[in-house]
Amino acid sequence: MSDDEPVVSVLGLGAMGTALAEALLATGHRTTVWNRTAEKADPLVARGAARADTAADAIIASRLVVVCLLDYDSVSQVLAPHTDVLAGRTLVNLTNGTPGQARRMAAWAADHGADYLDGGIMAVPPMIATPAAFLLYSGPSGVFEKSRPVLDVFGESVYLGSDPGMAALHDLALLSGMYGTIMGALQAFAMVRSAGVPTTEFAPLLSRWMGSMGGWPAAAAEQIDKGDYRDGVVSNLAMQAAAYPNFRAAAEELGISFELLAPLHSLMRRRVADGHGHEDLTGVIELLKK
Ligand code: NDP
């Protein structure tokens, strides 16, 4: 491969893959792109990207191959027919998946002579290449360091160690926190909307209240790592469990569903019934062990 050839290939030009390829082009990287639906590459080609007619051509074109497809099934469908061209390549798979999927993909890549980094993108496409974006990576540290100058284009690169499953683990954990927050916010909006309050009027109060909760993860993590939910309790579980039925009753009064909040209610009741009412709500995590 000569210095004149593209140095990065991007497989997958959905909303995210397109943002990644745009960031590479904007920073002067010679970039080859491929997408199942070929015309999605047209705007990138107009901006200077090289078009690969097949996924194999894209893999051959660059030592660093960024993969950003819908899910791991699509990654397997795209890569599996091209095992003969993987040797010597570094695959950076930014497709959302589980830790187990990432580890299996890393082993599969190694079987075919490719280096493998798994990644999780903590950004939406418009955030790519802005200071707000951070991306999680795991896999061999040497491979990460070698790839880092390119990866840093997408956002801050956060390296989580050699176990390829770590990026997916942290990605899904952070997204779990996000979805929990969104669930609560949707319930809040449904409540005020049902009473005729414009949600745009309510949103600043909700943002302020969510901001007040910003210290919760650090305090809860202290308790969880100690396995002791009795320290520094200011809002004990029994008190919270006594108030929680009000959310169900209010939902009934307002004519809205309680289904987003119901699961926590049953966990709180079980934890109180088990004799932990004087402890913090954080102790509910013990009921999540299987
Ligand atoms: P899109 O739905 O916009 O794009 C999906 C991409 O996958 C397209 O390129 C599509 O090709 C391709 N694809 C799907 N199935 C197949 C298949 N069987 N064979 C070949 N190609 C296939 O998704 P995004 O770009 O938004 O997301 C891509 C990844 O990035 C996902 O894993 C997502 O979870 C992750 N992500 C997305 C974020 C976002 O906000 N968008 C944020 C963080 C992570 P085609 O165009 O031909 O349909």
Side-chain angles (χ1 to χ4, degrees), residues 260-284:
L260 282 174
L261 298 190
L264 182 58
H265 194 195
S266 60
L267 289 164
M268 286 166 100
R269 281 189 299 205
R270 273 169 57 199
R271 187 78 180 155
V272 171
D274 290 346
H276 300 282
H278 58 295
E279 298 180 1
D280 224 323
L281 172 63
T282 321
V284 161

Side-chain angles (χ1 to χ4, degrees), residues 12-17 34-37 40 68-71 73-74 77-78 94-96 121-125:
L13 302 174
M16 186 54 85
W34 174 84
N35 194 59
R36 177 181 63 177
T37 307
K40 282 196 190 165
C68 190
L69 296 166
L70 184 64
D71 54 19
D73 282 347
S74 39
Q77 281 169 29
V78 168
L94 300 179
T95 304
N96 186 273
I121 305 173
M122 305 318 299
V124 292

Side-chain angles (χ1 to χ4, degrees), residues 23-24 27 29 129-130 133 135 137 144-145 147-158:
L24 291 168
T27 46
H29 290 80
T130 73
L135 289 85
Y137 295 100
F144 172 70
E145 287 306 333
S147 312
R148 185 169 195 162
V150 172
L151 302 180
D152 282 348
V153 165
F154 303 141
E156 184 187 345
S157 303
V158 178

Side-chain angles (χ1 to χ4, degrees), residues 73-211:
D73 282 347
S74 39
V75 175
S76 295
Q77 281 169 29
V78 168
L79 295 183
H82 307 304
T83 50
D84 53 327
V85 293
L86 289 177
R89 299 294 179 266
T90 295
L91 295 176
V92 180
N93 185 15
L94 300 179
T95 304
N96 186 273
T98 71
Q101 285 176 317
R103 291 183 190 118
R104 287 190 290 278
M105 188 64 73
W108 179 86
D111 283 347
H112 299 289
D115 289 329
Y116 183 85
L117 288 176
D118 204 80
I121 305 173
M122 305 318 299
V124 292
M127 287 162 63
I128 292 300
T130 73
F134 67 101
L135 289 85
L136 312 171
Y137 295 100
S138 55
S141 60
V143 178
F144 172 70
E145 287 306 333
K146 195 176 61 176
S147 312
R148 185 169 195 162
V150 172
L151 302 180
D152 282 348
V153 165
F154 303 141
E156 184 187 345
S157 303
V158 178
Y159 178 63
L160 295 168
S162 59
D163 173 355
M166 279 294 130
L169 175 74
H170 284 72
D171 183 10
L172 293 184
L174 290 172
L175 293 178
S176 298
M178 178 191 81
Y179 281 120
T181 304
I182 288 175
M183 280 163 55
L186 285 174
Q187 185 72 12
F189 281 137
M191 290 175 78
V192 298
R193 185 178 69 170
S194 74
V197 177
T199 55
T200 44
E201 253 176 40
F202 176 69
L205 278 178
L206 182 58
S207 291
R208 180 176 174 180
W209 180 237
M210 285 175 158

